[in-house]
PDB file of all heavy atoms in Angstrom:
ATOM      1  N   GLN A  47       6.413  -3.835   6.965  1.00 96.00           N
ATOM      2  CA  GLN A  47       7.296  -2.675   6.779  1.00 96.00           C
ATOM      3  C   GLN A  47       6.686  -1.434   7.424  1.00 96.00           C
ATOM      4  O   GLN A  47       7.397  -0.642   8.052  1.00 96.00           O
ATOM      5  CB  GLN A  47       7.533  -2.416   5.295  1.00 96.00           C
ATOM      6  CG  GLN A  47       8.369  -3.449   4.614  1.00 96.00           C
ATOM      7  CD  GLN A  47       8.373  -3.269   3.108  1.00 96.00           C
ATOM      8  OE1 GLN A  47       7.341  -3.005   2.493  1.00 96.00           O
ATOM      9  NE2 GLN A  47       9.548  -3.416   2.510  1.00 96.00           N
ATOM     10  N   LEU A  48       5.380  -1.256   7.259  1.00 96.00           N
ATOM     11  CA  LEU A  48       4.702  -0.105   7.855  1.00 96.00           C
ATOM     12  C   LEU A  48       4.830  -0.134   9.375  1.00 96.00           C
ATOM     13  O   LEU A  48       5.157   0.884   9.991  1.00 96.00           O
ATOM     14  CB  LEU A  48       3.232  -0.078   7.446  1.00 96.00           C
ATOM     15  CG  LEU A  48       2.379   1.007   8.088  1.00 96.00           C
ATOM     16  CD1 LEU A  48       2.908   2.398   7.772  1.00 96.00           C
ATOM     17  CD2 LEU A  48       0.930   0.867   7.639  1.00 96.00           C
ATOM     18  N   ALA A  49       4.609  -1.278   9.971  1.00 97.00           N
ATOM     19  CA  ALA A  49       4.717  -1.398  11.436  1.00 97.00           C
ATOM     20  C   ALA A  49       6.136  -1.075  11.901  1.00 97.00           C
ATOM     21  O   ALA A  49       6.323  -0.359  12.893  1.00 97.00           O
ATOM     22  CB  ALA A  49       4.307  -2.801  11.878  1.00 97.00           C
ATOM     23  N   LYS A  50       7.116  -1.581  11.173  1.00 97.00           N
ATOM     24  CA  LYS A  50       8.517  -1.329  11.545  1.00 97.00           C
ATOM     25  C   LYS A  50       8.862   0.153  11.412  1.00 97.00           C
ATOM     26  O   LYS A  50       9.513   0.729  12.290  1.00 97.00           O
ATOM     27  CB  LYS A  50       9.437  -2.177  10.673  1.00 97.00           C
ATOM     28  CG  LYS A  50      10.877  -2.116  11.080  1.00 97.00           C
ATOM     29  CD  LYS A  50      11.728  -3.074  10.267  1.00 97.00           C
ATOM     30  CE  LYS A  50      13.185  -2.948  10.668  1.00 97.00           C
ATOM     31  NZ  LYS A  50      14.061  -3.790   9.877  1.00 97.00           N
ATOM     32  N   LEU A  51       8.426   0.783  10.318  1.00 97.00           N
ATOM     33  CA  LEU A  51       8.689   2.215  10.110  1.00 97.00           C
ATOM     34  C   LEU A  51       8.029   3.051  11.205  1.00 97.00           C
ATOM     35  O   LEU A  51       8.663   3.930  11.783  1.00 97.00           O
ATOM     36  CB  LEU A  51       8.206   2.648   8.732  1.00 97.00           C
ATOM     37  CG  LEU A  51       8.353   4.142   8.419  1.00 97.00           C
ATOM     38  CD1 LEU A  51       9.810   4.594   8.492  1.00 97.00           C
ATOM     39  CD2 LEU A  51       7.751   4.450   7.046  1.00 97.00           C
ATOM     40  N   LYS A  52       6.761   2.784  11.495  1.00 96.00           N
ATOM     41  CA  LYS A  52       6.069   3.541  12.545  1.00 96.00           C
ATOM     42  C   LYS A  52       6.782   3.399  13.883  1.00 96.00           C
ATOM     43  O   LYS A  52       6.988   4.388  14.592  1.00 96.00           O
ATOM     44  CB  LYS A  52       4.620   3.079  12.665  1.00 96.00           C
ATOM     45  CG  LYS A  52       3.745   3.575  11.538  1.00 96.00           C
ATOM     46  CD  LYS A  52       2.379   2.940  11.542  1.00 96.00           C
ATOM     47  CE  LYS A  52       1.525   3.370  12.681  1.00 96.00           C
ATOM     48  NZ  LYS A  52       0.133   2.867  12.576  1.00 96.00           N
ATOM     49  N   HIS A  53       7.171   2.177  14.208  1.00 97.00           N
ATOM     50  CA  HIS A  53       7.865   1.935  15.474  1.00 97.00           C
ATOM     51  C   HIS A  53       9.185   2.707  15.519  1.00 97.00           C
ATOM     52  O   HIS A  53       9.504   3.360  16.522  1.00 97.00           O
ATOM     53  CB  HIS A  53       8.112   0.433  15.659  1.00 97.00           C
ATOM     54  CG  HIS A  53       8.864   0.100  16.896  1.00 97.00           C
ATOM     55  ND1 HIS A  53       8.295   0.142  18.154  1.00 97.00           N
ATOM     56  CD2 HIS A  53      10.164  -0.248  17.084  1.00 97.00           C
ATOM     57  CE1 HIS A  53       9.204  -0.178  19.058  1.00 97.00           C
ATOM     58  NE2 HIS A  53      10.346  -0.426  18.434  1.00 97.00           N
ATOM     59  N   SER A  54       9.952   2.658  14.430  1.00 97.00           N
ATOM     60  CA  SER A  54      11.247   3.345  14.376  1.00 97.00           C
ATOM     61  C   SER A  54      11.080   4.851  14.523  1.00 97.00           C
ATOM     62  O   SER A  54      11.807   5.491  15.283  1.00 97.00           O
ATOM     63  CB  SER A  54      11.953   3.044  13.049  1.00 97.00           C
ATOM     64  OG  SER A  54      12.242   1.689  12.931  1.00 97.00           O
ATOM     65  N   LEU A  55      10.144   5.413  13.777  1.00 97.00           N
ATOM     66  CA  LEU A  55       9.960   6.864  13.818  1.00 97.00           C
ATOM     67  C   LEU A  55       9.428   7.336  15.175  1.00 97.00           C
ATOM     68  O   LEU A  55       9.880   8.366  15.689  1.00 97.00           O
ATOM     69  CB  LEU A  55       9.027   7.314  12.694  1.00 97.00           C
ATOM     70  CG  LEU A  55       9.565   7.137  11.277  1.00 97.00           C
ATOM     71  CD1 LEU A  55       8.514   7.561  10.258  1.00 97.00           C
ATOM     72  CD2 LEU A  55      10.858   7.902  11.074  1.00 97.00           C
ATOM     73  N   CYS A  56       8.513   6.595  15.741  1.00 96.00           N
ATOM     74  CA  CYS A  56       7.976   6.983  17.053  1.00 96.00           C
ATOM     75  C   CYS A  56       9.046   6.903  18.141  1.00 96.00           C
ATOM     76  O   CYS A  56       8.991   7.649  19.121  1.00 96.00           O
ATOM     77  CB  CYS A  56       6.771   6.125  17.409  1.00 96.00           C
ATOM     78  SG  CYS A  56       5.304   6.544  16.451  1.00 96.00           S
ATOM     79  N   ALA A  57      10.030   6.031  17.960  1.00 97.00           N
ATOM     80  CA  ALA A  57      11.129   5.930  18.916  1.00 97.00           C
ATOM     81  C   ALA A  57      12.101   7.100  18.782  1.00 97.00           C
ATOM     82  O   ALA A  57      12.810   7.432  19.732  1.00 97.00           O
ATOM     83  CB  ALA A  57      11.878   4.611  18.724  1.00 97.00           C
ATOM     84  N   ILE A  58      12.120   7.752  17.623  1.00 97.00           N
ATOM     85  CA  ILE A  58      13.045   8.859  17.380  1.00 97.00           C
ATOM     86  C   ILE A  58      12.485  10.190  17.856  1.00 97.00           C
ATOM     87  O   ILE A  58      13.187  10.973  18.485  1.00 97.00           O
ATOM     88  CB  ILE A  58      13.386   8.963  15.874  1.00 97.00           C
ATOM     89  CG1 ILE A  58      14.164   7.732  15.415  1.00 97.00           C
ATOM     90  CG2 ILE A  58      14.174  10.245  15.580  1.00 97.00           C
ATOM     91  CD1 ILE A  58      14.311   7.626  13.900  1.00 97.00           C
ATOM     92  N   ILE A  59      11.218  10.447  17.578  1.00 96.00           N
ATOM     93  CA  ILE A  59      10.668  11.786  17.831  1.00 96.00           C
ATOM     94  C   ILE A  59      10.433  12.033  19.320  1.00 96.00           C
ATOM     95  O   ILE A  59      10.331  11.105  20.120  1.00 96.00           O
ATOM     96  CB  ILE A  59       9.359  12.035  17.055  1.00 96.00           C
ATOM     97  CG1 ILE A  59       8.226  11.152  17.585  1.00 96.00           C
ATOM     98  CG2 ILE A  59       9.568  11.873  15.560  1.00 96.00           C
ATOM     99  CD1 ILE A  59       6.850  11.608  17.146  1.00 96.00           C
ATOM    100  N   ASP A  60      10.325  13.304  19.641  1.00 96.00           N
ATOM    101  CA  ASP A  60       9.906  13.751  20.973  1.00 96.00           C
ATOM    102  C   ASP A  60       8.444  14.136  20.832  1.00 96.00           C
ATOM    103  O   ASP A  60       8.121  15.145  20.199  1.00 96.00           O
ATOM    104  CB  ASP A  60      10.753  14.948  21.410  1.00 96.00           C
ATOM    105  CG  ASP A  60      10.368  15.484  22.771  1.00 96.00           C
ATOM    106  OD1 ASP A  60       9.219  15.260  23.224  1.00 96.00           O
ATOM    107  OD2 ASP A  60      11.211  16.152  23.390  1.00 96.00           O
ATOM    108  N   GLU A  61       7.553  13.337  21.380  1.00 95.00           N
ATOM    109  CA  GLU A  61       6.115  13.543  21.180  1.00 95.00           C
ATOM    110  C   GLU A  61       5.592  14.856  21.755  1.00 95.00           C
ATOM    111  O   GLU A  61       4.500  15.282  21.403  1.00 95.00           O
ATOM    112  CB  GLU A  61       5.322  12.356  21.725  1.00 95.00           C
ATOM    113  CG  GLU A  61       5.537  11.100  20.892  1.00 95.00           C
ATOM    114  CD  GLU A  61       4.596   9.974  21.280  1.00 95.00           C
ATOM    115  OE1 GLU A  61       3.608  10.215  22.009  1.00 95.00           O
ATOM    116  OE2 GLU A  61       4.856   8.844  20.849  1.00 95.00           O
ATOM    117  N   GLU A  62       6.359  15.496  22.607  1.00 96.00           N
ATOM    118  CA  GLU A  62       5.937  16.791  23.147  1.00 96.00           C
ATOM    119  C   GLU A  62       6.322  17.944  22.232  1.00 96.00           C
ATOM    120  O   GLU A  62       5.793  19.040  22.358  1.00 96.00           O
ATOM    121  CB  GLU A  62       6.528  16.986  24.537  1.00 96.00           C
ATOM    122  CG  GLU A  62       5.955  16.026  25.560  1.00 96.00           C
ATOM    123  CD  GLU A  62       6.494  16.285  26.957  1.00 96.00           C
ATOM    124  OE1 GLU A  62       7.116  17.344  27.185  1.00 96.00           O
ATOM    125  OE2 GLU A  62       6.289  15.413  27.814  1.00 96.00           O
ATOM    126  N   LYS A  63       7.270  17.708  21.308  1.00 96.00           N
ATOM    127  CA  LYS A  63       7.770  18.784  20.450  1.00 96.00           C
ATOM    128  C   LYS A  63       7.597  18.510  18.959  1.00 96.00           C
ATOM    129  O   LYS A  63       7.580  19.442  18.162  1.00 96.00           O
ATOM    130  CB  LYS A  63       9.261  19.024  20.717  1.00 96.00           C
ATOM    131  CG  LYS A  63       9.569  19.451  22.128  1.00 96.00           C
ATOM    132  CD  LYS A  63      11.052  19.602  22.341  1.00 96.00           C
ATOM    133  CE  LYS A  63      11.357  19.976  23.785  1.00 96.00           C
ATOM    134  NZ  LYS A  63      12.802  20.072  23.998  1.00 96.00           N
ATOM    135  N   ASP A  64       7.521  17.254  18.556  1.00 97.00           N
ATOM    136  CA  ASP A  64       7.516  16.865  17.151  1.00 97.00           C
ATOM    137  C   ASP A  64       6.188  16.209  16.794  1.00 97.00           C
ATOM    138  O   ASP A  64       5.420  15.828  17.664  1.00 97.00           O
ATOM    139  CB  ASP A  64       8.649  15.869  16.869  1.00 97.00           C
ATOM    140  CG  ASP A  64      10.004  16.331  17.380  1.00 97.00           C
ATOM    141  OD1 ASP A  64      10.252  17.549  17.396  1.00 97.00           O
ATOM    142  OD2 ASP A  64      10.820  15.468  17.761  1.00 97.00           O
ATOM    143  N   SER A  65       5.965  16.038  15.487  1.00 95.00           N
ATOM    144  CA  SER A  65       4.763  15.324  15.065  1.00 95.00           C
ATOM    145  C   SER A  65       5.039  14.496  13.818  1.00 95.00           C
ATOM    146  O   SER A  65       5.902  14.836  13.005  1.00 95.00           O
ATOM    147  CB  SER A  65       3.605  16.289  14.809  1.00 95.00           C
ATOM    148  OG  SER A  65       3.878  17.097  13.689  1.00 95.00           O
ATOM    149  N   LEU A  66       4.279  13.413  13.714  1.00 96.00           N
ATOM    150  CA  LEU A  66       4.303  12.525  12.549  1.00 96.00           C
ATOM    151  C   LEU A  66       2.881  12.367  12.051  1.00 96.00           C
ATOM    152  O   LEU A  66       1.944  12.333  12.851  1.00 96.00           O
ATOM    153  CB  LEU A  66       4.776  11.121  12.943  1.00 96.00           C
ATOM    154  CG  LEU A  66       6.221  10.885  13.261  1.00 96.00           C
ATOM    155  CD1 LEU A  66       6.393   9.483  13.851  1.00 96.00           C
ATOM    156  CD2 LEU A  66       7.060  11.029  12.010  1.00 96.00           C
ATOM    157  N   ARG A  67       2.733  12.230  10.736  1.00 95.00           N
ATOM    158  CA  ARG A  67       1.426  11.922  10.154  1.00 95.00           C
ATOM    159  C   ARG A  67       1.626  10.829   9.113  1.00 95.00           C
ATOM    160  O   ARG A  67       2.567  10.880   8.336  1.00 95.00           O
ATOM    161  CB  ARG A  67       0.796  13.137   9.487  1.00 95.00           C
ATOM    162  CG  ARG A  67       0.270  14.145  10.462  1.00 95.00           C
ATOM    163  CD  ARG A  67      -0.336  15.328   9.705  1.00 95.00           C
ATOM    164  NE  ARG A  67      -0.975  16.226  10.630  1.00 95.00           N
ATOM    165  CZ  ARG A  67      -2.279  16.286  10.842  1.00 95.00           C
ATOM    166  NH1 ARG A  67      -3.094  15.533  10.152  1.00 95.00           N
ATOM    167  NH2 ARG A  67      -2.783  17.132  11.709  1.00 95.00           N
ATOM    168  N   PHE A  68       0.715   9.872   9.103  1.00 95.00           N
ATOM    169  CA  PHE A  68       0.709   8.806   8.117  1.00 95.00           C
ATOM    170  C   PHE A  68      -0.619   8.886   7.369  1.00 95.00           C
ATOM    171  O   PHE A  68      -1.681   8.813   7.988  1.00 95.00           O
ATOM    172  CB  PHE A  68       0.827   7.437   8.801  1.00 95.00           C
ATOM    173  CG  PHE A  68       2.140   7.234   9.501  1.00 95.00           C
ATOM    174  CD1 PHE A  68       2.319   7.664  10.811  1.00 95.00           C
ATOM    175  CD2 PHE A  68       3.197   6.621   8.853  1.00 95.00           C
ATOM    176  CE1 PHE A  68       3.520   7.483  11.463  1.00 95.00           C
ATOM    177  CE2 PHE A  68       4.411   6.433   9.501  1.00 95.00           C
ATOM    178  CZ  PHE A  68       4.577   6.874  10.801  1.00 95.00           C
ATOM    179  N   TYR A  69      -0.553   9.042   6.066  1.00 93.00           N
ATOM    180  CA  TYR A  69      -1.740   9.083   5.219  1.00 93.00           C
ATOM    181  C   TYR A  69      -1.761   7.791   4.410  1.00 93.00           C
ATOM    182  O   TYR A  69      -0.831   7.514   3.658  1.00 93.00           O
ATOM    183  CB  TYR A  69      -1.707  10.283   4.274  1.00 93.00           C
ATOM    184  CG  TYR A  69      -1.744  11.614   4.993  1.00 93.00           C
ATOM    185  CD1 TYR A  69      -0.567  12.236   5.392  1.00 93.00           C
ATOM    186  CD2 TYR A  69      -2.954  12.234   5.269  1.00 93.00           C
ATOM    187  CE1 TYR A  69      -0.597  13.460   6.053  1.00 93.00           C
ATOM    188  CE2 TYR A  69      -2.992  13.458   5.932  1.00 93.00           C
ATOM    189  CZ  TYR A  69      -1.804  14.048   6.324  1.00 93.00           C
ATOM    190  OH  TYR A  69      -1.833  15.272   6.976  1.00 93.00           O
ATOM    191  N   TYR A  70      -2.820   7.023   4.551  1.00 92.00           N
ATOM    192  CA  TYR A  70      -2.912   5.722   3.913  1.00 92.00           C
ATOM    193  C   TYR A  70      -3.667   5.866   2.593  1.00 92.00           C
ATOM    194  O   TYR A  70      -4.878   6.049   2.576  1.00 92.00           O
ATOM    195  CB  TYR A  70      -3.613   4.732   4.844  1.00 92.00           C
ATOM    196  CG  TYR A  70      -2.907   4.643   6.174  1.00 92.00           C
ATOM    197  CD1 TYR A  70      -3.374   5.338   7.283  1.00 92.00           C
ATOM    198  CD2 TYR A  70      -1.740   3.907   6.299  1.00 92.00           C
ATOM    199  CE1 TYR A  70      -2.706   5.274   8.499  1.00 92.00           C
ATOM    200  CE2 TYR A  70      -1.063   3.845   7.518  1.00 92.00           C
ATOM    201  CZ  TYR A  70      -1.558   4.529   8.599  1.00 92.00           C
ATOM    202  OH  TYR A  70      -0.893   4.470   9.795  1.00 92.00           O
ATOM    203  N   LEU A  71      -2.925   5.781   1.484  1.00 87.00           N
ATOM    204  CA  LEU A  71      -3.522   5.940   0.162  1.00 87.00           C
ATOM    205  C   LEU A  71      -3.941   4.599  -0.433  1.00 87.00           C
ATOM    206  O   LEU A  71      -4.629   4.567  -1.445  1.00 87.00           O
ATOM    207  CB  LEU A  71      -2.547   6.651  -0.775  1.00 87.00           C
ATOM    208  CG  LEU A  71      -2.119   8.051  -0.321  1.00 87.00           C
ATOM    209  CD1 LEU A  71      -1.138   8.650  -1.310  1.00 87.00           C
ATOM    210  CD2 LEU A  71      -3.322   8.959  -0.139  1.00 87.00           C
ATOM    211  N   GLY A  72      -3.515   3.497   0.150  1.00 74.00           N
ATOM    212  CA  GLY A  72      -3.953   2.177  -0.268  1.00 74.00           C
ATOM    213  C   GLY A  72      -3.263   1.646  -1.508  1.00 74.00           C
ATOM    214  O   GLY A  72      -2.234   2.145  -1.947  1.00 74.00           O
ATOM    215  N   LYS A  73      -3.882   0.611  -2.089  1.00 73.00           N
ATOM    216  CA  LYS A  73      -3.304  -0.054  -3.252  1.00 73.00           C
ATOM    217  C   LYS A  73      -3.611   0.683  -4.551  1.00 73.00           C
ATOM    218  O   LYS A  73      -2.898   0.539  -5.524  1.00 73.00           O
ATOM    219  CB  LYS A  73      -3.812  -1.490  -3.339  1.00 73.00           C
ATOM    220  CG  LYS A  73      -3.297  -2.363  -2.213  1.00 73.00           C
ATOM    221  CD  LYS A  73      -3.800  -3.774  -2.336  1.00 73.00           C
ATOM    222  CE  LYS A  73      -3.293  -4.601  -1.171  1.00 73.00           C
ATOM    223  NZ  LYS A  73      -3.778  -5.976  -1.229  1.00 73.00           N
ATOM    224  N   ASN A  74      -4.690   1.427  -4.591  1.00 70.00           N
ATOM    225  CA  ASN A  74      -5.077   2.163  -5.799  1.00 70.00           C
ATOM    226  C   ASN A  74      -4.664   3.625  -5.694  1.00 70.00           C
ATOM    227  O   ASN A  74      -5.401   4.523  -6.082  1.00 70.00           O
ATOM    228  CB  ASN A  74      -6.587   2.043  -6.035  1.00 70.00           C
ATOM    229  CG  ASN A  74      -7.000   0.612  -6.270  1.00 70.00           C
ATOM    230  OD1 ASN A  74      -6.334  -0.105  -7.003  1.00 70.00           O
ATOM    231  ND2 ASN A  74      -8.074   0.186  -5.647  1.00 70.00           N
TER     232      ASN A  74
END
Side-chain angles (χ1 to χ4, degrees):
Q47 290 170 317
L48 175 59
K50 187 175 178 183
L51 177 60
K52 285 171 69 173
H53 178 75
S54 297
L55 293 177
C56 287
I58 294 169
I59 68 164
D60 179 337
E61 291 189 13
E62 293 183 13
K63 299 177 182 178
D64 310 328
S65 67
L66 287 170
R67 286 180 174 259
F68 295 86
Y69 296 89
Y70 304 99
L71 300 179
K73 292 181 182 179
N74 298 316

